[in-house]
Amino acid sequence: MSVVHLQKLETSVDKYTVNISWSAVDQAVAYELEINGKIYESRNNKYTLKNASVGNNQKIRVRACFTHGFGEWSGLHTFTVKDIIAPKAGKLVLKQTDAQTINLAISGDSDNDKVAVYKFYLNGKELYSGTEKSFDYVNGEMGGKLNFTALVVDAAGNVSQEVKSSITVKDMTPPDAVTNIAHNKEASEKSVTLTWTAPSDNVGVTGYIVKLNGKEYKTSKNSITIKNPGLGHRTVNIVALDKAKNAGEVSDDFRFGVGVDLPI
Protein backbone atom coordinates (compact mmCIF):
# COMPACT_ATOMS: atom_id res chain seq x y z
CA MET A 1 0.00 0.00 0.00
CA SER A 2 1.13 3.58 -0.68
CA VAL A 3 2.37 5.98 1.98
CA VAL A 4 1.78 9.76 2.08
CA HIS A 5 5.27 10.99 2.88
CA LEU A 6 5.71 13.58 5.64
CA GLN A 7 7.81 15.92 3.47
CA LYS A 8 4.93 16.20 1.03
CA LEU A 9 2.36 17.22 3.66
CA GLU A 10 2.11 21.00 3.88
CA THR A 11 -0.10 23.51 5.68
CA SER A 12 -0.61 27.24 5.36
CA VAL A 13 -2.61 29.25 7.88
CA ASP A 14 -4.66 32.33 6.99
CA LYS A 15 -6.17 33.71 10.19
CA TYR A 16 -8.42 30.81 11.29
CA THR A 17 -8.36 28.88 8.02
CA VAL A 18 -5.83 26.07 7.53
CA ASN A 19 -5.08 25.04 3.94
CA ILE A 20 -3.68 21.50 3.79
CA SER A 21 -2.12 19.79 0.77
CA TRP A 22 -0.09 16.66 0.07
CA SER A 23 1.24 14.75 -2.88
CA ALA A 24 -1.36 12.68 -4.75
CA VAL A 25 -1.18 8.89 -4.39
CA ASP A 26 -1.71 6.64 -7.42
CA GLN A 27 -5.01 4.76 -7.47
CA ALA A 28 -6.29 6.56 -4.33
CA VAL A 29 -10.04 7.18 -4.47
CA ALA A 30 -10.08 9.51 -1.43
CA TYR A 31 -8.06 10.55 1.60
CA GLU A 32 -8.61 10.59 5.34
CA LEU A 33 -7.14 13.32 7.51
CA GLU A 34 -6.77 13.08 11.25
CA ILE A 35 -6.57 16.58 12.73
CA ASN A 36 -6.14 16.73 16.48
CA GLY A 37 -7.73 13.32 16.79
CA LYS A 38 -10.76 14.05 14.61
CA ILE A 39 -11.25 12.39 11.20
CA TYR A 40 -12.03 14.37 8.03
CA GLU A 41 -12.40 13.15 4.42
CA SER A 42 -11.29 14.62 1.11
CA ARG A 43 -11.82 13.48 -2.50
CA ASN A 44 -8.56 15.03 -3.65
CA ASN A 45 -5.12 15.86 -2.26
CA LYS A 46 -6.06 19.02 -0.46
CA TYR A 47 -8.39 20.11 2.32
CA THR A 48 -9.46 23.41 3.86
CA LEU A 49 -10.10 23.47 7.60
CA LYS A 50 -12.24 26.48 8.50
CA ASN A 51 -12.75 28.06 11.91
CA ALA A 52 -9.73 26.23 13.25
CA SER A 53 -9.12 26.27 16.98
CA VAL A 54 -6.42 28.53 18.37
CA GLY A 55 -3.31 26.74 19.58
CA ASN A 56 0.27 25.63 19.05
CA ASN A 57 1.53 22.23 17.95
CA GLN A 58 -1.74 21.08 16.45
CA LYS A 59 -1.30 17.68 14.82
CA ILE A 60 -2.32 16.35 11.45
CA ARG A 61 -1.67 13.17 9.48
CA VAL A 62 -3.10 11.80 6.22
CA ARG A 63 -3.65 8.41 4.59
CA ALA A 64 -4.91 7.32 1.21
CA CYS A 65 -8.15 5.40 0.73
CA PHE A 66 -8.24 2.67 -1.92
CA THR A 67 -11.04 0.47 -3.20
CA HIS A 68 -9.51 -2.42 -1.27
CA GLY A 69 -8.64 -0.56 1.97
CA PHE A 70 -6.40 2.14 3.42
CA GLY A 71 -2.79 3.12 3.00
CA GLU A 72 -0.52 3.79 5.95
CA TRP A 73 -0.75 7.02 7.90
CA SER A 74 1.80 9.67 7.10
CA GLY A 75 4.04 10.98 9.81
CA LEU A 76 2.66 13.71 12.06
CA HIS A 77 2.80 17.27 10.85
CA THR A 78 2.23 20.20 13.23
CA PHE A 79 0.85 23.67 12.66
CA THR A 80 -0.08 26.71 14.74
CA VAL A 81 -3.18 28.90 14.62
CA LYS A 82 -2.58 32.24 16.27
CA ASP A 83 -5.33 34.14 18.03
CA ILE A 84 -5.63 37.52 16.31
CA ILE A 85 -9.10 38.54 17.53
CA ALA A 86 -9.17 41.06 20.36
CA PRO A 87 -11.46 40.32 23.30
CA LYS A 88 -14.38 42.53 24.29
CA ALA A 89 -14.31 44.16 27.71
CA GLY A 90 -18.09 44.28 28.15
CA LYS A 91 -19.21 46.80 30.76
CA LEU A 92 -17.45 48.47 33.69
CA VAL A 93 -19.73 48.51 36.74
CA LEU A 94 -18.94 50.83 39.66
CA LYS A 95 -20.39 50.65 43.17
CA GLN A 96 -19.48 52.58 46.29
CA THR A 97 -19.48 50.10 49.17
CA ASP A 98 -18.44 52.39 52.00
CA ALA A 99 -17.04 55.86 52.67
CA GLN A 100 -13.63 55.06 51.19
CA THR A 101 -14.17 52.12 48.81
CA ILE A 102 -15.32 51.89 45.19
CA ASN A 103 -15.79 48.42 43.74
CA LEU A 104 -14.92 48.09 40.04
CA ALA A 105 -16.19 45.03 38.17
CA ILE A 106 -16.13 43.84 34.56
CA SER A 107 -19.42 42.36 33.32
CA GLY A 108 -20.10 40.68 29.98
CA ASP A 109 -16.51 40.31 28.76
CA SER A 110 -15.91 37.79 25.97
CA ASP A 111 -13.24 36.32 23.69
CA ASN A 112 -12.99 33.65 21.01
CA ASP A 113 -10.47 31.85 23.23
CA LYS A 114 -10.36 33.22 26.78
CA VAL A 115 -9.74 36.44 28.68
CA ALA A 116 -6.55 36.18 30.71
CA VAL A 117 -5.97 39.59 32.28
CA TYR A 118 -8.18 42.39 33.61
CA LYS A 119 -6.87 45.93 33.97
CA PHE A 120 -8.43 48.87 35.83
CA TYR A 121 -7.38 52.53 35.65
CA LEU A 122 -8.20 55.84 37.34
CA ASN A 123 -7.45 58.92 35.26
CA GLY A 124 -5.04 56.85 33.14
CA LYS A 125 -3.11 55.44 36.11
CA GLU A 126 -3.19 51.66 36.42
CA LEU A 127 -4.78 50.47 39.64
CA TYR A 128 -4.80 46.71 39.04
CA SER A 129 -3.67 44.12 36.50
CA GLY A 130 -4.46 40.47 37.14
CA THR A 131 -6.87 37.58 36.74
CA GLU A 132 -9.66 38.92 38.97
CA LYS A 133 -12.70 40.50 37.28
CA SER A 134 -13.28 42.94 40.13
CA PHE A 135 -11.15 45.26 42.23
CA ASP A 136 -11.71 47.46 45.29
CA TYR A 137 -10.30 50.96 45.00
CA VAL A 138 -9.69 52.27 48.53
CA ASN A 139 -8.93 55.90 49.28
CA GLY A 140 -9.73 57.59 52.58
CA GLU A 141 -9.70 61.03 50.98
CA MET A 142 -11.66 60.45 47.77
CA GLY A 143 -14.46 62.78 46.76
CA GLY A 144 -16.23 64.34 43.81
CA LYS A 145 -16.53 62.61 40.44
CA LEU A 146 -14.12 59.76 39.63
CA ASN A 147 -13.51 58.55 36.07
CA PHE A 148 -12.46 54.91 35.71
CA THR A 149 -11.51 52.86 32.66
CA ALA A 150 -10.88 49.15 32.15
CA LEU A 151 -9.70 46.76 29.46
CA VAL A 152 -9.09 43.05 29.07
CA VAL A 153 -6.29 41.06 27.49
CA ASP A 154 -6.60 37.53 26.10
CA ALA A 155 -4.08 34.70 26.38
CA ALA A 156 -2.47 35.68 23.07
CA GLY A 157 -1.91 39.26 24.21
CA ASN A 158 -4.69 40.82 22.16
CA VAL A 159 -6.06 43.91 23.92
CA SER A 160 -9.68 45.04 23.99
CA GLN A 161 -10.90 48.56 23.58
CA GLU A 162 -11.28 50.53 26.81
CA VAL A 163 -14.60 50.77 28.56
CA LYS A 164 -15.34 53.79 30.71
CA SER A 165 -17.53 54.57 33.70
CA SER A 166 -17.81 57.43 36.19
CA ILE A 167 -19.16 57.71 39.71
CA THR A 168 -19.80 60.62 42.02
CA VAL A 169 -18.53 59.73 45.48
CA LYS A 170 -21.20 59.82 48.14
CA ASP A 171 -20.43 61.14 51.60
CA MET A 172 -20.98 58.11 53.82
CA THR A 173 -19.08 59.37 56.87
CA PRO A 174 -21.38 60.51 59.71
CA PRO A 175 -20.56 63.45 61.96
CA ASP A 176 -19.09 62.92 65.40
CA ALA A 177 -21.41 62.79 68.40
CA VAL A 178 -22.66 66.02 69.97
CA THR A 179 -20.98 66.92 73.28
CA ASN A 180 -21.08 69.60 75.99
CA ILE A 181 -24.86 70.08 76.05
CA ALA A 182 -25.96 72.83 78.41
CA HIS A 183 -29.07 74.89 79.19
CA ASN A 184 -29.54 78.52 80.18
CA LYS A 185 -29.85 79.35 83.84
CA GLU A 186 -33.09 81.20 83.16
CA ALA A 187 -34.84 78.02 81.99
CA SER A 188 -38.52 78.04 82.90
CA GLU A 189 -41.72 76.23 82.08
CA LYS A 190 -42.22 78.78 79.29
CA SER A 191 -38.82 78.58 77.60
CA VAL A 192 -35.45 76.84 77.70
CA THR A 193 -32.40 77.43 75.54
CA LEU A 194 -30.02 74.55 74.86
CA THR A 195 -26.49 74.89 73.51
CA TRP A 196 -23.77 72.38 72.58
CA THR A 197 -20.39 72.08 70.90
CA ALA A 198 -20.65 71.62 67.12
CA PRO A 199 -19.11 68.23 66.24
CA SER A 200 -16.65 67.68 63.40
CA ASP A 201 -17.55 66.10 60.03
CA ASN A 202 -15.53 65.39 56.88
CA VAL A 203 -17.81 67.72 54.88
CA GLY A 204 -19.63 69.75 57.52
CA VAL A 205 -22.62 69.51 59.83
CA THR A 206 -25.80 70.99 58.37
CA GLY A 207 -28.37 70.33 61.09
CA TYR A 208 -29.40 68.67 64.33
CA ILE A 209 -32.28 66.62 65.66
CA VAL A 210 -32.99 67.52 69.29
CA LYS A 211 -35.17 65.31 71.45
CA LEU A 212 -36.56 66.70 74.70
CA ASN A 213 -38.28 63.96 76.66
CA GLY A 214 -38.88 62.16 73.38
CA LYS A 215 -40.36 65.15 71.51
CA GLU A 216 -38.39 66.01 68.40
CA TYR A 217 -37.13 69.43 67.30
CA LYS A 218 -34.87 70.43 64.42
CA THR A 219 -32.32 73.20 64.04
CA SER A 220 -29.45 74.13 61.74
CA LYS A 221 -27.45 75.79 64.54
CA ASN A 222 -25.75 74.38 67.61
CA SER A 223 -28.37 75.99 69.84
CA ILE A 224 -32.14 76.00 70.12
CA THR A 225 -34.82 77.68 72.20
CA ILE A 226 -37.76 75.45 73.03
CA LYS A 227 -41.05 77.00 74.04
CA ASN A 228 -43.16 75.62 76.87
CA PRO A 229 -40.90 72.78 78.03
CA GLY A 230 -43.09 72.43 81.11
CA LEU A 231 -42.08 71.74 84.70
CA GLY A 232 -40.21 68.68 85.88
CA HIS A 233 -37.21 66.56 85.04
CA ARG A 234 -36.09 66.84 81.43
CA THR A 235 -33.82 64.61 79.32
CA VAL A 236 -32.17 65.81 76.10
CA ASN A 237 -30.50 63.82 73.29
CA ILE A 238 -29.06 65.38 70.14
CA VAL A 239 -27.98 63.88 66.80
CA ALA A 240 -25.90 65.78 64.21
CA LEU A 241 -26.64 65.50 60.47
CA ASP A 242 -24.47 66.33 57.46
CA LYS A 243 -25.43 67.37 53.91
CA ALA A 244 -25.73 63.74 52.78
CA LYS A 245 -28.14 63.06 55.69
CA ASN A 246 -25.62 60.89 57.49
CA ALA A 247 -26.54 60.84 61.17
CA GLY A 248 -23.96 60.82 63.94
CA GLU A 249 -24.30 58.80 67.11
CA VAL A 250 -26.88 59.89 69.65
CA SER A 251 -25.37 62.13 72.30
CA ASP A 252 -25.18 61.10 75.93
CA ASP A 253 -28.27 61.97 77.95
CA PHE A 254 -28.32 65.51 79.28
CA ARG A 255 -30.67 65.89 82.25
CA PHE A 256 -31.91 69.04 83.92
CA GLY A 257 -34.85 70.22 85.98
CA VAL A 258 -37.35 72.94 85.24
CA GLY A 259 -38.84 74.23 88.48
CA VAL A 260 -37.50 71.16 90.31
CA ASP A 261 -34.12 69.96 91.43
CA LEU A 262 -32.54 66.88 89.90
CA PRO A 263 -32.25 63.97 92.32
CA ILE A 264 -28.77 63.45 93.70
Side-chain angles (χ1 to χ4, degrees):
M1 294 192 181
S2 300
V3 178
V4 180
H5 296 290
L6 178 61
Q7 64 268 24
K8 298 296 183 180
L9 179 57
E10 297 177 346
T11 57
S12 64
V13 179
D14 181 13
K15 296 181 179 179
Y16 299 100
T17 298
V18 183
N19 297 301
I20 308 163
S21 63
W22 56 92
S23 56
V25 177
D26 290 341
Q27 298 182 11
V29 294
Y31 299 89
E32 275 193 348
L33 301 86
E34 184 183 62
I35 305 173
N36 297 325
K38 186 176 180 179
I39 299 297
Y40 301 83
E41 293 184 357
S42 176
R43 291 295 180 182
N44 52 46
N45 61 321
K46 60 183 180 180
Y47 185 81
T48 299
L49 177 66
K50 297 181 178 180
N51 300 316
S53 300
V54 171
N56 300 322
N57 297 318
Q58 301 196 54
K59 296 176 174 60
I60 179 174
R61 61 179 183 171
V62 181
R63 67 179 178 180
C65 303
F66 302 96
T67 55
H68 54 277
F70 296 98
E72 295 181 13
W73 284 109
S74 68
L76 284 174
H77 179 81
T78 61
F79 62 93
T80 296
V81 177
K82 295 181 179 180
D83 181 8
I84 59 172
I85 296 178
K88 295 181 179 179
K91 183 179 180 181
L92 175 57
V93 180
L94 306 178
K95 182 180 180 180
Q96 183 174 351
T97 56
D98 59 38
Q100 53 189 352
T101 306
I102 302 292
N103 177 258
L104 295 78
I106 288 290
S107 174
D109 57 299
S110 62
D111 186 58
N112 63 311
D113 187 16
K114 64 179 180 179
V115 174
V117 177
Y118 298 86
K119 293 178 177 285
F120 298 100
Y121 301 83
L122 173 61
N123 296 329
K125 182 180 179 181
E126 186 175 280
L127 301 174
Y128 172 82
S129 177
T131 58
E132 297 297 326
K133 297 180 66 168
S134 66
F135 169 75
D136 283 336
Y137 171 67
V138 181
N139 186 337
E141 299 179 353
M142 65 181 179
K145 185 178 181 180
L146 300 179
N147 301 310
F148 294 94
T149 56
L151 56 82
V152 298
V153 185
D154 66 17
N158 299 305
V159 181
S160 73
Q161 292 185 343
E162 287 186 344
V163 288
K164 301 178 181 180
S165 188
S166 299
I167 188 171
T168 299
V169 178
K170 297 178 182 178
D171 176 19
M172 300 177 71
T173 302
D176 291 338
V178 169
T179 58
N180 300 321
I181 303 172
H183 74 290
N184 62 324
K185 294 181 180 179
E186 295 78 19
S188 68
E189 62 180 310
K190 295 183 178 180
S191 175
V192 60
T193 298
L194 301 169
T195 61
W196 54 90
T197 300
S200 61
D201 182 68
N202 64 318
V203 176
V205 174
T206 58
Y208 302 88
I209 296 175
V210 180
K211 286 188 177 181
L212 175 64
N213 278 23
K215 188 174 181 180
E216 190 173 287
Y217 304 85
K218 295 181 180 180
T219 179
S220 60
K221 301 178 180 180
N222 60 319
S223 65
I224 189 171
T225 297
I226 298 174
K227 302 291 186 179
N228 303 315
L231 297 174
H233 301 136
R234 296 290 176 261
T235 300
V236 173
N237 300 108
I238 303 176
V239 171
L241 304 173
D242 63 17
K243 186 175 181 179
K245 305 302 181 183
N246 296 306
E249 292 185 4
V250 179
S251 69
D252 293 335
D253 289 347
F254 173 69
R255 296 182 175 88
F256 64 98
V258 178
V260 296
D261 294 328
L262 287 175
I264 299 176

